Amino acid sequence: MTSTATPATPPRPTDPLSPVPTESADSAAPADSVDERLRRWRLVLGGEAGEDGTGRPLSGRDAAVDRTLEALYGAGSRPPGAGAGGGRRSGGLGASAPRVARWLGDIRSYFPASVVQVMQRDALDRLGLTALLLEPELLEAVEPDVHLVGTLLSLGKAMPEETKATAREVVRKVVGDLERRLASRTRATLTGALDRSARAARPRHRDIDWNRTVRANLKNYLPEHRTVVPERLVGYARAARSVKKEVILCVDQSGSMAASVVHASVFGAVLASIRALDTRLIAFDTSVVDLTDQLADPVDVLFGVQLGGGTDINRALSYCQSRITRPADTVVVLISDLYEGGVREGMLERVAAMRASGVRFVTLLALSDEGAPAYDRENAAALAALGTPAFACTPDHFPEVMAAALEQRPLPVPDPGAGT
């Protein structure tokens, strides 16, 4: 069997074991029938009837789905200079906004949102359609996701005024979805951690930590009565009445960190809404920008970043260090792939100095749903030697990481193989 795709062409995002929705008579075939399996493989492999080795023609909705896939993954759809792929005919998308808009509508009708997002990213990467996102009509047809937000933010000042309002709505939708998914759990987890981190010597009855109280008074156990006399009570202090904890999110805004920037802005807004936390959000490349005053609206935060450029972690940490007033009550979270373009020795010295002063320092190589990121292993190893393991973190795991940092517990590293 020979595939119609060249090695440079990625496979179509369809699973041969999962049928594509279809209205053709072929879809009535049993899932385990030979005909149905050929239909699925034909949709995965593409190509004219017989050319892919299946000899299975398509009709009806199947044929429409195939044309939609061929426009993106067919040999003739590759960017200029990628080769003709044997001269096969292909519709392609070209640099036509109306054609791309129709294609975006087609894929949304044929595939679930998760597959649509993958195909959109492939179209932007393979066909160079980023410039077309500057047109409001096209943006309205796109399925919003974190990666699309990163692409929009990377366009920055190149975006015309008539597109900015539409782009802002796209970003707001993604941010709103993330907040609904993450905010409640984050607040609940961190509020509990803040309560537990502040102990009271004379707690009220409802604030007593009975487990710690029993452990603290085991020496007062009376065997004849089978009870412990609580000579000393241990309890929680009210977080609102205790000293505020300080959290500094220091986020690398280089192009490779786009998804992490989006998630960090959402978490920054959530943390800022917790009264017992004093939260700062710092974004950096070769310069440093303090976005703390925009934390009330993460959309404003995102439009305040400038994705791309170099990286000067040392300079960013210098700024963070200058804003720390109570080291023992401060958590600094560095979110970066650690590719340092500044003074490496200075970066490591600042981390060591902050840790020595009592600051809890956390290094996240990425804050996103993706797999293991690319990162500077030498710098990650150097930070680990200072007692700061570097690891990637998913948004769902971030509240537990922050809770552990606030309580001065060991960090729950999600994937030991990702850290050093």
Side-chain angles (χ1 to χ4, degrees):
M1 179 182 297
T2 59
S3 169
T4 61
T6 65
T9 303
R12 297 178 174 202
T14 53
D15 184 346
L17 300 181
S18 300
V20 176
T22 177
E23 294 173 351
S24 69
D26 298 324
S27 62
D32 59 350
S33 72
V34 173
D35 188 58
E36 175 65 7
R37 289 180 181 276
L38 288 175
R39 184 186 75 86
R40 298 180 196 177
W41 276 112
R42 170 62 183 79
L43 286 169
V44 171
L45 296 173
E48 301 295 337
E51 187 177 316
D52 50 41
T54 66
R56 175 64 162 78
L58 297 176
S59 61
R61 189 179 175 97
D62 281 346
V65 170
D66 185 63
R67 287 193 297 272
T68 301
L69 291 167
E70 186 71 14
L72 176 58
Y73 298 104
S77 66
R78 292 192 300 278
R88 288 194 56 240
R89 177 179 58 83
S90 173
L93 294 177
S96 166
R99 180 178 296 176
V100 173
R102 287 194 298 271
W103 180 80
L104 288 168
D106 287 344
I107 63 174
R108 292 175 76 168
S109 65
Y110 297 145
F111 302 99
S114 58
V115 175
V116 169
Q117 292 169 5
V118 171
M119 295 179 71
Q120 285 179 173
R121 293 200 294 272
D122 286 348
L124 292 173
D125 293 340
R126 300 188 67 240
L127 305 180
L129 301 182
T130 301
L132 293 180
L133 291 179
L134 301 179
E135 303 190 24
E137 296 79 6
L138 188 61
L139 267 182
E140 292 172 356
V142 173
E143 183 74 25
D145 70 342
V146 170
H147 296 277
L148 177 63
V149 170
T151 300
L152 292 175
L153 297 178
S154 69
L155 295 173
K157 296 180 180 178
M159 189 178 296
E161 289 299 323
E162 60 269 21
T163 307
K164 287 183 178 179
T166 306
R168 197 175 186 87
E169 287 307 309
V170 170
V171 173
R172 189 170 296 282
K173 183 179 186 305
V174 173
V175 167
D177 290 343
L178 288 174
E179 284 187 305
R180 283 188 290 273
R181 168 187 156 196
L182 302 169
S184 295
R185 180 163 170 251
T186 300
R187 291 192 185 99
T189 301
L190 296 190
T191 299
L194 288 164
D195 282 343
R196 290 189 296 272
S197 68
R199 300 291 168 185
R202 295 181 180 179
R204 290 177 292 183
H205 184 271
R206 62 181 178 178
D207 294 332
I208 295 174
D209 184 339
W210 289 108
N211 289 331
R212 286 177 175 263
T213 295
V214 169
R215 286 197 296 270
N217 291 277
L218 286 176
K219 63 181 180 180
N220 300 321
Y221 179 67
L222 301 178
E224 63 273 20
H225 297 288
R226 301 180 65 185
T227 189
V228 172
V229 177
E231 184 180 79
R232 181 170 68 90
L233 297 178
V234 180
Y236 307 124
R238 293 288 173 176
R241 298 179 182 178
S242 63
V243 176
K244 276 191 172 184
K245 299 284 187 178
E246 296 185 358
V247 174
I248 301 178
L249 300 179
C250 186
V251 188
D252 185 343
Q253 63 177 355
S254 57
S256 60
M257 301 295 294
S260 297
V261 171
V262 175
H263 287 109
S265 70
V266 172
F267 278 117
V270 173
L271 297 180
S273 71
I274 300 175
R275 288 183 298 172
L277 289 178
D278 185 2
T279 305
R280 283 186 174 275
L281 179 62
I282 312 299
F284 70 93
D285 42 35
T286 53
S287 59
V288 179
V289 57
D290 193 328
L291 299 170
T292 303
D293 60 351
Q294 300 178 41
L295 279 176
D297 187 348
V299 177
D300 286 340
V301 170
L302 288 171
F303 277 93
V305 303
Q306 296 291 331
L307 291 177
T311 307
D312 192 338
I313 303 173
N314 178 51
R315 185 174 183 179
L317 292 182
S318 174
Y319 180 85
C320 294
Q321 202 172 12
S322 70
R323 293 299 182 269
I324 296 173
T325 57
R326 300 190 310 275
D329 295 314
T330 300
V331 176
V332 175
V333 183
L334 172 64
I335 305 174
S336 173
D337 54 17
L338 301 181
Y339 287 108
E340 172 65 310
V343 182
R344 178 180 183 271
E345 293 75 14
M347 173 190 73
L348 298 175
E349 288 173 3
R350 292 189 190 283
V351 174
M354 281 189 271
R355 282 183 50 80
S357 69
V359 171
R360 189 68 192 273
F361 198 92
V362 179
T363 305
L364 301 182
L365 301 170
L367 180 56
S368 67
D369 289 308
E370 272 62 51
Y375 63 97
D376 189 308
R377 295 180 180 274
E378 184 178 351
N379 283 337
L383 288 175
L386 295 175
T388 304
F391 57 95
C393 178
T394 64
D396 287 333
H397 196 71
F398 183 75
E400 282 74 21
V401 171
M402 285 302 303
L406 290 169
E407 293 184 74
Q408 298 291 323
R409 292 189 282 109
L411 297 177
V413 179
D415 182 8
T420 50

